[in-house]
Amino acid sequence: MNTTEKSIYLDYAAATPLSDKALMAMTPYFSEKFYNPGSPYLPAKFVRDDYEEKKSQLAHIIGAKSDDLIITSGATESNNLALTAVSESGKILFSATEHDSVRVPAKFHGGREIKVKPDGALDLDDLRKNLDDETELISVALVNNELGTIQPIAEIAELVKSERLRRRLAGISRPIFLMSDASQALNLLEISVGRLGVDLLTFNSAKMYGPKGIGALYHSRETRLHPLILGGGQEQNFRSGTENVPALVGFSVAAGEARSHLTSSRKNFQHLKRLFQKTLTDFSEITPLFLGNPKKQLANFSPVSFPGLDAERLIYLLESAHVYVSTGAACAASKGEKSHVLKACGFSDDIIQGSLRITFGKDNTEEDIILAAKKIATAVNSERTRLNV
């Protein structure tokens, strides 16, 4: 009899398992279809055709053309490449809750943070106040990676459109672009670059049941990018290096799967969220503080805080109970840094210190969610007793 306790994974915003269909589609390109797509002989040309077909399918999912996409190693590279659209004299404005792959290079370029509201939504008044003739790029993630806040990108795009018109009438030649990191979004939101009104959009296979190590950057024809990686001139000279054919195949298949299940996935996660929050509230001796605005939050996000407790201790206790959660972005959590996202939202140190990022995935069942919520409550109650909170 197998008595091994089942592990429950609730950190899908950090990474997702590879889907079976994506793995199956990728497999031939590791063996019989291993050819370099840049080689001149027929088998390699067939691989090139497959690569271009999958790239075109991926572009179609976001309402773009194949030539509008640059395939990269992931969202971090995509974000860094997107920021090269800004000239040396141009100014970057970015949301205070952006991922570090935007914040760090933007700050290096002298960028300025734009405030957010307590639910993580961009403060549009602060954006208007900081927008001036030198601004060349505004960067706001479509979905925040810690709170799951869905940002009003289309509304920001209208502001950018008005600013372009103002500059044209005033004879100001400096361009202005809107950039959005959609890494968390493509799995659960229907995305059209035209409807969003973005000039630059980045996304990531590893967040949507595709392989790790591959992402993409959509760029409008008006942007002028500068390659970060030089060499063989692949990806229209924007990103040199032998194309990762199996990864792109898996990426495209996973994205297509996500697109075909958007409505059912959202309904399922909304149900699991309600179940999780009710169970956790019923069994916890400390009232959980659920963060973010549920009306503007991605369906599979349920960040929660237990003020006065230490989330790192809770994670340790939960790992022992085979429940895996995080305190926020994996790159920040691994360095023991406090969440800049929650700080930007104005939360107290107690709330930040006691916060857990809970994100659901397609492998979670009702039974998983109920059991995980009870185990989290048990860990919380144990810590409450230990600290006499």
Side-chain angles (χ1 to χ4, degrees):
M1 179 178 170
N2 185 5
T3 58
T4 303
E5 188 172 359
K6 180 183 179 182
S7 295
I8 303 174
Y9 180 69
L10 297 176
D11 196 21
Y12 284 84
T16 54
L18 184 64
S19 83
D20 292 340
K21 285 185 179 180
L23 176 59
M24 187 180 300
M26 292 169 65
T27 300
Y29 296 91
F30 291 113
S31 49
E32 64 264 28
K33 295 184 178 182
F34 66 91
Y35 305 99
N36 187 323
S39 296
Y41 33 82
L42 197 58
K45 289 182 177 180
F46 286 146
V47 171
R48 162 61 64 188
D49 290 342
D50 291 346
Y51 182 87
E52 295 300 337
E53 179 187 0
K54 292 302 180 184
K55 185 177 176 182
S56 179
Q57 289 174 3
L58 185 61
H60 179 74
I61 287 171
I62 62 167
K65 296 180 179 178
S66 181
D67 289 347
D68 300 331
L69 287 193
I70 302 167
I71 304 303
T72 67
S73 64
T76 293
E77 183 187 340
S78 293
N79 286 334
N80 276 260
L81 180 56
L83 291 172
T84 67
V86 182
S87 68
E88 288 187 10
S89 62
K91 191 166 87 174
I92 299 172
L93 300 179
F94 61 97
S95 163
T97 56
E98 291 299 280
H99 189 273
D100 277 348
S101 60
V102 172
R103 291 174 73 237
V104 173
K107 284 185 174 182
F108 181 79
H109 195 80
R112 183 181 181 88
E113 286 187 352
I114 300 301
K115 296 176 184 176
V116 296
K117 298 175 181 178
D119 63 358
L122 190 76
D123 186 331
L124 292 173
D125 289 337
D126 193 51
L127 175 60
R128 293 185 185 96
K129 185 174 72 174
N130 284 279
L131 184 61
D132 60 25
D133 292 350
E134 309 306 313
T135 304
E136 280 190 17
L137 185 140
I138 298 169
S139 182
V140 182
L142 181 52
V143 173
N144 175 259
N145 67 312
E146 291 189 29
L147 288 176
T149 303
I150 302 171
Q151 297 286 4
I153 299 299
E155 194 172 345
I156 298 169
E158 284 300 313
L159 179 62
V160 171
K161 185 178 178 181
S162 296
E163 174 64 10
R164 284 188 183 130
L165 177 60
R166 185 194 71 81
R167 290 184 185 186
R168 188 159 59 247
L169 294 175
I172 299 171
S173 60
R174 188 182 296 276
I176 181 169
F177 304 116
L178 176 58
M179 166 184 168
S180 188
D181 179 349
S183 295
Q184 297 290 344
L186 198 59
N187 191 36
L188 284 171
L189 296 180
E190 185 172 352
I191 293 176
S192 163
V193 291
R195 285 198 296 271
L196 284 175
V198 294
D199 302 286
L200 298 151
L201 187 83
T202 64
F203 47 111
N204 186 1
S205 167
K207 310 296 185 184
M208 54 185 306
Y209 306 94
K212 296 178 180 63
I214 188 163
L217 165 62
Y218 160 80
H219 64 110
S220 68
R221 304 301 168 87
E222 289 73 28
T223 57
R224 295 292 179 267
L225 303 177
H226 302 280
L228 301 173
I229 301 173
L230 304 173
Q234 290 87 350
E235 293 299 317
Q236 307 168 69
N237 288 312
F238 287 119
R239 206 278 180 180
S240 291
T242 301
E243 296 90 343
N244 191 342
V245 180
L248 177 62
V249 169
F251 189 4
S252 178
V253 169
E257 282 189 278
R259 183 63 177 265
S260 64
H261 297 106
L262 286 177
T263 302
S264 60
S265 293
R266 283 197 295 264
K267 287 182 179 179
N268 179 51
F269 290 137
Q270 286 163 355
H271 170 65
L272 293 181
K273 181 190 291 190
R274 287 192 294 269
L275 188 62
F276 172 78
Q277 293 184 352
K278 183 181 186 308
T279 306
L280 185 58
T281 301
D282 288 347
F283 284 86
S284 176
E285 295 171 6
I286 296 178
T287 302
L289 176 63
F290 296 106
L291 308 177
N293 181 348
K295 294 181 180 179
K296 298 178 181 178
Q297 191 172 55
L298 204 65
N300 69 326
F301 273 72
S302 185
V304 61
S305 178
F306 299 94
L309 300 188
D310 184 350
E312 295 291 347
R313 275 278 305 173
L314 292 177
I315 287 174
Y316 169 76
L317 293 173
L318 290 170
E319 183 175 354
S320 300
H322 306 285
V323 175
Y324 303 114
V325 301
S326 71
T327 55
C331 48
S334 65
K335 294 182 284 188
E337 297 177 356
K338 286 187 178 180
S339 167
H340 74 273
V341 172
L342 300 187
K343 186 176 179 182
C345 293
F347 290 115
S348 66
D349 286 344
D350 268 3
I351 292 176
I352 296 173
Q353 189 72 19
S355 67
L356 298 173
R357 180 179 68 173
I358 310 292
T359 47
F360 311 120
K362 66 179 183 180
D363 296 324
N364 293 142
T365 64
E366 288 186 354
E367 291 75 16
D368 290 340
I369 296 306
I370 292 172
L371 180 58
K374 289 180 178 179
K375 287 188 174 186
I376 293 172
T378 298
V380 167
N381 296 343
S382 172
E383 282 297 280
R384 175 182 177 273
T385 299
R386 185 179 72 86
L387 297 172
N388 194 28
V389 175

